[in-house]
Amino acid sequence: RQELNSFDRDELTEAQQLTWDIIDFSLTTQEQAVGRELYDDLLGPVTGQHTNMLITLAEFSFYEKADLDVYMALLEDLPRYFTYVADYERTRADAGMIAAAETLNEAADYCEMIANAPEDCLLITGFADRLAELDWLEETDRQNYETRNRELVCGPVADAYRALGECARELAAQGGEPLGLATCLDDGGKYYQLLMRSMVGSDRSLGDYQQLLVREISAGLAEMTALYQQDPEGYNAFASTVPQQGSLPPEEIIAQLREASKDDFPPLAELPYTVKDVPAALEDYTSPAFFMIPPIDSQDKNTIYINNAMLDPTTLFTTLAHEGYPGHLYQTVYTQLLDLDPLNNKLSASGYSEGWATYVEYEYAYDYMNESETYRRLARVNSLLSLEISALVDMQVNWAGWSEDQLAEWLDAMGLNGDAAGDLMAHVCAEPGNYMTYAGGYLEFMELRRTAEDTLGSAFDEMAFHTWLLDQGSAPFPLLADRLDAWMESQTALAPAA
């Protein structure tokens, strides 16, 4: 903080001021987290170290032999790292912050799967193919590295997962039912507000988010009612309709999305990426799809993973809009081509990237589908309602302190399935703020857009708005809102006189 304040912000360029502001926002978040170092769980089903470590290592980049040696050293060192994870989780348990038994048992199951069948591990199944792509690697070295990799994965890596699994199982015996942050922590509600700042990148109050979500949910339910009244036959046919584009190869879908979105988003001449399938052994433990952010020094290594067990033709098209174009892949490549400080992206919350991908998915991708208007609107509102309801539950459990019974009662009152309360409760307790990262980020982009539309009126231009947003790079939403005024003034100046 002292080092940052040693700079005279007024003397900095506009780009430097943005970096200054992002550092300031990040430091303030860290300062508010002091004393809460044990609040974060490292064994969550989505963000846990045990699940993310394999994918991260599987995408490790090799430019020269030294990189392969570093990679091998990391595999060999995994037991030490996982020992720290286990020690941290035991310390949390001793402080009365133990995770739910269900969450810990799920982590133990995953660790035991890797430990008991390391030969099926992603680090082995894909390693030979990765080495084959290295045209600078001699055949003898290739064979030696492949042998060494197998030894390490079946040795230290398997041992690391076995030990972490034993720790998770041991702690699960002490864990109880899933509880929200507001229930299991004295300042859980305040901490959840801090999570919104950290994960979404916003200072908006939880009360405001609650009002926005209730408004959007009400609008969605009203739209579904209107669609039924307007086209009952199309409404009833929705559940049995399989989108035509959903059966296409992922690369062809992304090509169609690029073409369909060319009038809404600034185009890209180059779009390097690879689509990979999640290994069968990991399908039960990973998301339906995800985008791997490339290394800072290897910006052409953009990877989209597809989980074939969870994705089907009804959702593949819009999912690839989210993960691919004009979502994560597009936004990442576009930003890489700008002369922005890379520190900005590192310090910014994931609510910007997830919010952008969610925004383009729901505001554009469904319109790009080759289906009837009734189907496109129903598919959109049905999926968006699911996200918004889950995000509201995320808030009510972790901020307002709802119990599972209260959640089930609310779901039934909404005309939804109260029997789903248990699974939903378990997820929002294990990953507090996860749904809000997507929904909150989406709402923030929509609020920026509404402000621009209301202010500019007929002078509002989608392409110009999206170009401005993307040109800012990843930044907390209050900083974007502050800079929106200057952009709107520039657009007003460009508008033709009446």
Side-chain angles (χ1 to χ4, degrees):
R1 174 67 75 183
Q2 291 174 347
E3 184 71 17
L4 180 67
N5 289 336
S6 70
F7 291 89
D8 184 346
R9 185 182 179 281
D10 293 336
E11 296 296 319
L12 302 178
T13 67
E14 184 177 346
Q16 290 171 335
Q17 287 179 349
L18 179 59
T19 299
W20 194 100
D21 292 340
I22 290 174
I23 296 173
D24 177 64
F25 190 93
S26 176
L27 286 174
T28 302
T29 304
Q30 294 178 51
E31 289 162 0
Q32 293 178 12
V34 171
R36 294 164 169 157
E37 290 78 11
L38 293 176
Y39 285 18
D40 190 24
D41 183 16
L42 299 184
L43 295 179
V46 175
T47 60
Q49 294 297 298
H50 58 299
T51 59
N52 288 316
M53 182 57 65
L54 285 183
I55 301 295
T56 302
L57 289 171
E59 291 296 318
F60 195 97
S61 296
F62 304 132
Y63 310 117
E64 56 187 11
K65 286 181 65 176
D67 297 324
L68 282 159
D69 294 332
V70 170
Y71 173 79
M72 297 299 167
L74 289 172
L75 296 184
E76 192 170 13
D77 195 44
L78 193 60
R80 181 187 64 88
Y81 178 71
F82 272 7
T83 295
Y84 287 147
V85 175
D87 288 346
Y88 174 82
E89 290 297 325
R90 289 191 176 100
T91 302
R92 292 184 72 237
D94 291 343
M97 300 179 188
I98 192 168
E102 182 177 343
T103 301
L104 291 165
N105 277 322
E106 185 176 339
D109 290 342
Y110 182 94
C111 291
E112 289 166 2
M113 175 193 66
I114 302 300
N116 294 335
E119 291 281 350
D120 298 329
C121 174
L122 180 63
L123 301 182
I124 289 181
T125 56
F127 191 70
D129 292 337
R130 298 179 65 204
L131 292 187
E133 297 173 355
L134 309 179
D135 54 10
W136 46 263
L137 190 64
E138 298 290 339
E139 177 62 21
T140 301
D141 289 332
R142 186 192 65 77
Q143 293 177 1
N144 290 338
Y145 279 118
E146 192 171 342
T147 299
R148 181 58 175 158
N149 178 72
R150 186 176 298 273
E151 291 173 349
L152 290 172
V153 174
C154 294
V157 172
D159 292 341
Y161 272 94
R162 183 172 292 105
L164 186 59
E166 290 172 354
C167 170
R169 194 73 75 191
E170 164 200 323
L171 293 175
Q174 308 170 35
E177 296 297 317
L179 297 174
L181 294 174
T183 305
C184 63
L185 297 173
D186 291 339
D187 60 347
K190 292 181 179 179
Y191 179 62
Y192 188 77
Q193 177 76 70
L194 177 60
L195 283 183
M196 293 302 96
R197 180 183 177 90
S198 174
M199 298 173 70
V200 178
S202 173
D203 281 329
R204 189 180 299 275
S205 73
L206 295 174
D208 283 349
Y209 272 131
Q210 186 180 49
Q211 290 181 358
L212 287 173
L213 285 169
V214 170
R215 182 191 71 188
E216 295 299 314
I217 291 170
S218 299
L221 293 173
E223 183 177 1
M224 292 190 77
T225 301
L227 285 169
Y228 177 75
Q229 294 171 343
Q230 294 166 11
D231 184 8
E233 184 176 340
Y235 187 99
N236 292 327
F238 167 71
S240 59
T241 301
V242 178
Q244 304 169 32
Q245 294 152 296
S247 59
L248 298 175
E251 293 82 0
E252 190 169 340
I253 290 176
I254 291 176
Q256 289 192 7
L257 286 163
R258 289 188 71 180
E259 177 63 22
S261 62
K262 65 182 181 181
D263 293 332
D264 301 318
F265 303 93
L268 287 173
E270 300 293 332
L271 191 70
Y273 72 95
T274 302
V275 177
K276 297 181 181 180
D277 291 335
V278 171
L282 300 182
E283 288 177 341
D284 292 340
Y285 300 94
T286 60
S287 302
F290 52 92
F291 172 76
M292 290 294 294
I293 298 174
I296 195 172
D297 58 351
S298 184
Q299 298 179 350
D300 61 336
K301 294 187 179 298
N302 300 286
T303 306
I304 298 173
Y305 275 90
I306 301 293
N307 187 338
N308 293 307
M310 294 188 180
L311 275 183
D312 58 46
T314 63
T315 54
L316 182 59
F317 185 85
T318 50
T319 297
L320 286 174
H322 182 109
E323 305 296 344
Y325 204 103
H328 289 312
L329 170 64
Y330 166 81
Q331 185 236 333
T332 299
V333 174
Y334 185 98
T335 305
Q336 288 167 351
L337 299 174
L338 302 174
D339 187 22
L340 299 177
D341 191 328
L343 186 63
N344 297 7
N345 187 65
K346 176 63 180 174
L347 292 180
S348 293
S350 57
Y352 179 95
S353 60
E354 294 300 352
W356 171 266
T358 305
Y359 165 74
V360 300
E361 176 185 357
Y362 289 116
E363 297 307 308
Y364 291 92
Y366 288 90
D367 288 336
Y368 299 153
M369 300 177 75
N370 297 330
E371 302 296 332
S372 69
E373 180 183 358
T374 297
Y375 178 88
R376 288 185 281 109
R377 290 177 61 187
L378 267 176
R380 174 190 178 274
V381 73
N382 187 61
S383 178
L384 184 54
L385 275 172
S386 177
L387 172 63
E388 290 168 342
I389 289 171
S390 297
L392 185 59
V393 170
D394 190 337
M395 285 186 55
Q396 297 300 82
V397 168
N398 288 295
W399 173 52
W402 275 10
S403 66
E404 183 177 330
D405 288 342
Q406 287 175 299
L407 173 56
E409 183 179 345
W410 181 79
L411 290 173
D412 284 333
M414 289 285 291
L416 304 171
N417 182 13
D419 293 338
D423 290 341
L424 188 52
M425 182 83 177
H427 182 83
V428 299
C429 291
E431 296 283 356
N434 182 55
Y435 283 123
M436 277 299 296
T437 302
Y438 296 81
Y442 166 73
L443 291 171
E444 293 292 348
F445 276 112
M446 290 301 295
E447 289 301 294
L448 289 171
R449 175 165 180 155
R450 288 190 181 100
T451 298
E453 288 179 325
D454 291 345
T455 302
L456 296 175
S458 60
F460 177 81
D461 179 82
E462 286 179 287
M463 177 70 79
F465 175 68
H466 292 152
T467 302
W468 172 78
L469 270 178
L470 290 162
D471 286 351
Q472 306 310 300
S474 182
F477 289 106
L479 305 186
L480 293 176
D482 288 343
R483 285 160 174 78
L484 182 62
D485 289 338
W487 176 78
M488 291 189 297
E489 287 180 9
S490 69
Q491 294 300 292
T492 302
L494 292 173

